[in-house]
Amino acid sequence: MVDVLHPSGESAGWTVRKSEAHRRGLYHRCFHCWIVSPGAGAAGPHLFVQRRAAQKENWPGRLDTTAAGHLSAGESGLDGLREVEEELGISPEPDRLVPLGSRRVEQDIPLGTDRELHEVFLLIESLEPGDVRLQKEEVEALLKLRLADVELLYSGGEIMAEEWAAGGAVRRTPVTLEEFVPNDDRYPLMVARAAAARLAGEDPGEVFRVS
């Protein structure tokens, strides 16, 4: 069950099943966590994105937020932290998450219209392939992108990423913007810029600007 919201984000005072919210196009809340590795030297920091599992109903195989999920009725934003543990097998403390803000999304999906309000968080975490345990039903792979390269995606460029597969294999792979879940608000770019600001000791909320 999920809380139904007004487009403004205020509670409508009633709940429905997630499937009904999608079928009827009702606004509801989700948790998004983007993980950034601070890095060092010439390589610089990296942004992690997940490749959604091939059997996912919506956007199978597309690149997406590092970890995300729906918030159940009555939950607060940080309750979604369980998604990081379930999908990636890591358990950061809640006070390490940096709130970036909220994001409103409306997209057509196979079973209706998905209208969501995302509560977006940033986690600064150094990760190696052995640190994660991917939930294969949800996540096909984790990709490590140079933070500075994300800008190139939006000029039509192709970048190289390190891909950590659910089975443990690590390889280099090319990435283009077309591989991401579609968005009209340059979402990954805004996250990358906010992460760069945070790493520079600035306020990431001043940079994170999405609809």
Side-chain angles (χ1 to χ4, degrees):
M1 303 295 289
V2 296
D3 289 314
V4 177
L5 307 177
H6 296 297
S8 63
E10 297 177 355
S11 174
W14 50 293
T15 63
V16 296
R17 294 188 180 277
K18 180 178 69 174
S19 58
E20 184 177 355
H22 289 167
R23 181 177 60 81
R24 296 173 59 185
L26 302 172
Y27 274 102
H28 54 286
R29 294 164 62 235
C30 292
F31 165 88
H32 278 207
C33 179
W34 293 83
I35 299 180
V36 170
S37 174
H46 292 84
L47 177 69
F48 287 94
V49 300
Q50 70 163 255
R51 187 180 300 281
R52 296 167 64 86
Q55 65 267 29
K56 294 284 288 183
E57 181 177 76
N58 298 320
W59 314 117
R62 293 292 190 102
L63 300 182
D64 202 358
T65 313
T66 321
H70 286 77
L71 291 170
S72 297
E75 289 189 322
S76 65
L78 284 176
D79 288 322
L81 192 58
R82 65 172 181 278
E83 300 292 342
V84 179
E85 182 173 6
E86 291 174 1
E87 294 185 357
L88 307 180
I90 60 176
S91 303
E93 292 298 321
D95 60 5
R96 296 189 54 218
L97 267 67
V98 179
L100 294 184
S102 61
R103 173 181 184 244
R104 184 171 59 242
V105 172
E106 181 174 329
Q107 291 178 314
D108 291 331
I109 56 176
L111 297 182
T113 301
D114 198 10
R115 293 188 172 98
E116 298 180 342
L117 290 173
H118 299 161
E119 297 196 23
V120 186
F121 296 87
L122 180 68
L123 173 65
I124 308 298
E125 180 79 30
S126 295
L127 292 177
E128 298 296 334
D131 297 330
V132 299
R133 184 184 67 255
L134 302 182
Q135 185 183 20
K136 63 181 182 180
E137 297 84 5
E138 298 286 335
V139 184
E140 180 179 314
L142 199 63
L143 275 68
K144 183 179 180 182
L145 286 59
R146 285 185 68 244
L147 199 61
D149 286 348
V150 178
E151 297 273 352
L152 298 177
L153 292 173
Y154 286 83
S155 61
E158 178 182 276
I159 66 175
M160 294 301 296
E162 187 174 276
E163 182 170 347
W164 305 350
V170 177
R171 67 186 182 101
R172 296 281 289 172
T173 186
V175 172
T176 64
L177 188 61
E178 287 69 28
E179 294 181 67
F180 283 79
V181 171
N183 62 81
D184 296 326
D185 55 8
R186 303 187 300 169
Y187 185 32
L189 179 59
M190 293 299 99
V191 170
R193 290 177 175 174
R198 176 69 178 188
L199 292 172
E202 302 168 1
D203 181 3
E206 291 298 316
V207 180
F208 185 73
R209 292 287 185 270
V210 294
S211 61

